[in-house]
Amino acid sequence: PTFQTLISCLGGRYQGRSLLLVFDTLGLLADFVGEPIAQGRLSSIYIPPLLQLWDGMAANDATDRAIIPLLECIASIALVSKANYQPFALDTFDKAMCMIEQVQLALATQDEIGDEDADPVICATDVLDGLVEGMQQNFGTLVASSSRYGAYFLNVLVALTQHEISGVRMSGFAVIGDLAVHCPSVLEPALPQLLRSAVDNLDSHHPTVSNNAVWSIGEICVRCRGNPAPLEPIVPDFVQKASGILMGNGFNPHNQGSSMWGLAE
């Protein structure tokens, strides 16, 4: 009854802030209830209407910030639902990839891009990350099953880690790190590019990006145990940059510039 009541609010009955509250409620339920939120028939009650609403909102304007709370809600549900999200996983994957594609094309026509302009890309990437954490070792099968975007997934992931907006790069490295943990085989064809991009993003001026980048490198290193060949090209640059982070080189203790602190502080 709870989910049926919430979903009944999506049919045009609620708009604006009221609709955002419905998304927040569903996301919080997912965060606090966990996997049982998708057991049995529950998922069929509320997930299809959410995906249908995503279609409608994206078709109207993929760059509309009103879609962001919906994507955050879906990301939370996909993450905690685990295998129970399987019936909706492919549709969600394709929608997230399409959202990234549409918004990127729209941004390409702008002379200047602000951080907020890329928020729909960040949230769509977070949906992909939710699928990675939820589907875990089955994510590779999911990617391969997408006739529309499966072949381009790694190219898109590499592009995300090289994006001009730091928040996009941060979310991209979160996906890489979680893939290294749950489904490392997906990363193998693009490991050289992804590792190089991660090292390039060890930047004191963007600590959140740097944190995710170095974490993703660490998770890949764990999976390369016994086969260090993929890591060898990045070792000199990684050691140099990581040493600077550990020693605090270039960091201002008076919070001017980077907020990352090294051992020197």
Side-chain angles (χ1 to χ4, degrees):
T2 300
F3 289 108
Q4 290 172 339
T5 300
L6 287 170
I7 291 304
S8 70
C9 300
L10 302 180
R13 183 172 156 194
Y14 280 21
Q15 298 292 329
R17 181 169 175 78
S18 297
L19 191 58
L20 302 185
L21 290 174
V22 175
F23 297 150
D24 286 343
T25 301
L26 287 168
L28 287 170
L29 278 171
D31 292 339
F32 285 95
V33 175
E35 191 173 357
I37 198 175
Q39 289 180 348
R41 294 183 56 255
L42 274 179
S43 59
S44 64
I45 294 175
Y46 63 92
I47 295 178
L50 290 174
L51 296 179
Q52 184 177 6
L53 188 60
W54 184 354
D55 276 335
M57 295 178 74
N60 183 49
D61 181 4
T63 65
D64 187 353
R65 293 184 58 81
I67 203 170
I68 291 174
L70 172 60
L71 299 187
E72 292 172 341
C73 165
I74 292 173
S76 295
I77 293 169
L79 188 155
V80 303
S81 297
K82 299 190 182 302
N84 291 319
Y85 200 83
Q86 178 70 48
F88 318 102
L90 178 58
D91 191 21
T92 303
F93 175 82
D94 283 347
K95 281 178 168 55
M97 292 290 289
C98 182
M99 172 71 68
I100 293 171
E101 180 182 54
Q102 288 180 321
V103 177
Q104 288 288 75
L105 289 173
L107 294 181
T109 64
Q110 298 183 18
D111 294 332
E112 294 184 6
I113 302 174
D115 289 355
E116 290 188 355
D117 295 329
D119 282 350
V121 175
I122 294 172
C123 289
T125 305
D126 291 343
V127 170
L128 293 176
D129 196 33
L131 287 172
V132 172
E133 292 195 73
M135 303 301 295
Q136 298 188 1
Q137 69 272 16
N138 295 319
F139 185 79
T141 302
L142 171 62
V143 173
S145 68
S146 174
S147 59
R148 185 175 180 184
Y149 291 108
Y152 307 105
F153 172 69
L154 284 176
N155 291 335
V156 170
L157 188 55
V158 170
L160 292 173
T161 65
Q162 299 171 352
H163 201 279
E164 63 182 285
I165 301 298
S166 61
V168 176
R169 301 198 302 275
M170 180 181 68
S171 289
F173 287 118
V175 174
I176 293 170
D178 283 322
L179 278 172
V181 172
H182 299 297
C183 195
S185 61
V186 172
L187 297 174
E188 288 180 10
L191 263 186
Q193 301 98 304
L194 294 171
L195 284 168
R196 172 50 55 191
S197 186
V199 171
D200 290 344
N201 276 276
L202 299 183
D203 179 0
S204 63
H205 294 93
H206 298 287
T208 54
V209 180
S210 185
N211 288 344
N212 278 9
V214 76
W215 169 68
S216 68
I217 292 172
E219 293 296 347
I220 291 172
C221 287
V222 171
R223 298 305 177 272
C224 288
R225 186 180 302 163
N227 179 31
L231 303 171
E232 291 173 357
I234 68 159
V235 169
D237 289 341
F238 174 73
V239 170
Q240 181 180 11
K241 289 197 173 186
S243 297
I245 292 174
L246 290 172
M247 299 308 298
N249 293 341
F251 301 136
N252 190 323
H254 301 294
N255 292 327
Q256 295 177 356
S258 171
S259 62
M260 292 180 68
W261 290 59
L263 295 180
E265 282 76 39

